[in-house]
Amino acid sequence: MLKHSFLSAVKILSFTALTLFLFSCKSAPQVEPVDPLNLIDATAPIIIYIPVTANRNFVEYAMVQMAGMSEKDAATIAGRTKNIAISTDSDGAFQAALEGSYPKIGINMALSEKKGWKSAYTTDTTLPVVFYSSDQFGIQVGNPDSLTLVAGQTASPLLKRYENEQHRLILASQGVEDSIEENPLNSKIYDFLKDNNNLEIRFYSQNPAAFLNKFLGKALSLGLTNLSGSLIESKADKTFALKLDLELTGSTISKAAVKMLKIALFPIPAKIVQTGENHVQITDISLTYNQLIKLIKR
């Protein structure tokens, strides 16, 4: 009982000190880097991971289209960003977390009232945290520390996860276990997304039928269990080369799926092959920047 009370006291004092340190200091605090995949909705139907250097053109384009940023501001932020994690649900609500280097003064200038942004405070965190919102584009952006940006239709859930993650990290540094999981994503999904050689945009769908229906624009019943894919810049302007890997419930269904997909994708000359007893792969197909944005945000 005494040990339990002591650990509880350590947690409370550590968390109080952390939140005061993170959100009350005027100067930029030194904080632990937070994996952006730990800040988005891990249960969302689609999870996307973007290495920015190899995909900077798309990132800049998306910032302009989705957040209404000027090309100059988008280029500045993209140039400071290493990786982006995105989750999107079936209703087109997305959450994004960016890791990089984001000085407060630069963010304040990029998201100023003069440029159509309004600042407010979330009350979902232990202490209020500022975020910026654009009514025109229906997006909110938070900058909880100089290493992290979060964005979505609502910033509060991301800022709350950020606070929880910092809580977990500071307790871990003191050898105290916390109930908050380090990585809420399934390890299989996490490892797939990260294994991109800092080149490919990778994505994983936890609702593969809905993803495929949204991608094809028509409903197909294929007995899907998992769907993953990768995107790499193609020679065509604002276009990716797309590879899709589908896992199905059985070999018979896989053979039928190949035929159904060829019909569904016609006249697109995609290559559709059965790569294993329960697997089908689609290659030689393109996805434009705008199509990817539509998959992220309806």
Side-chain angles (χ1 to χ4, degrees), residues 89-110:
D89 67 21
S90 56
D91 295 324
F94 76 95
Q95 297 181 359
L98 295 71
E99 65 172 332
S101 175
Y102 313 105
K104 290 282 185 181
I105 187 170
I107 297 301
N108 289 339
M109 292 175 62

Side-chain angles (χ1 to χ4, degrees), residues 6 12 29 32 40 73 79 84 104 116 175 220-221 237 246 257:
F6 173 73
I12 294 170
E32 291 294 331
I40 59 174
D73 287 340
I84 302 174
K104 290 282 185 181
L220 285 181
S221 180
D237 185 44
L246 287 63

Side-chain angles (χ1 to χ4, degrees), residues 26 62 81 96 113 162 192 199 202 212 221 254 262 289-290:
K26 292 183 179 179
T81 303
E113 188 172 350
Y162 170 85
F192 168 76
L199 293 174
R202 289 204 168 186
L212 199 60
S221 180
S254 298
K262 287 181 178 179
Y289 286 8
N290 284 331

Side-chain angles (χ1 to χ4, degrees), residues 230-261:
S230 63
L231 296 161
I232 193 164
E233 286 275 0
S234 71
K235 294 180 180 179
D237 185 44
K238 296 182 175 61
T239 303
F240 293 106
L242 168 66
K243 180 177 75 173
L244 280 176
D245 288 293
L246 287 63
E247 184 177 340
L248 300 102
T249 54
S251 59
T252 302
I253 293 177
S254 298
K255 291 177 182 178
V258 171
K259 296 179 180 178
M260 293 174 67
L261 286 166

Side-chain angles (χ1 to χ4, degrees), residues 5 14 42 150 237 245 282:
S5 299
S14 298
V150 297
D237 185 44
D245 288 293
I282 304 174

Side-chain angles (χ1 to χ4, degrees), residues 37 40-49 86-88 185-194 201-208 211 225-231 243-247 279:
L37 283 169
I40 59 174
D41 181 5
T43 66
I46 303 174
I47 307 292
I48 304 169
Y49 194 68
I86 301 171
S87 65
T88 179
L185 267 182
N186 176 285
S187 59
K188 176 183 176 181
I189 301 174
Y190 183 89
D191 292 342
F192 168 76
L193 295 172
K194 287 280 191 173
I201 295 176
R202 289 204 168 186
F203 59 90
Y204 194 99
S205 176
Q206 301 178 96
N207 187 349
F211 173 88
T225 58
N226 293 299
L227 183 149
S228 60
S230 63
L231 296 161
K243 180 177 75 173
L244 280 176
D245 288 293
L246 287 63
E247 184 177 340
H279 293 83

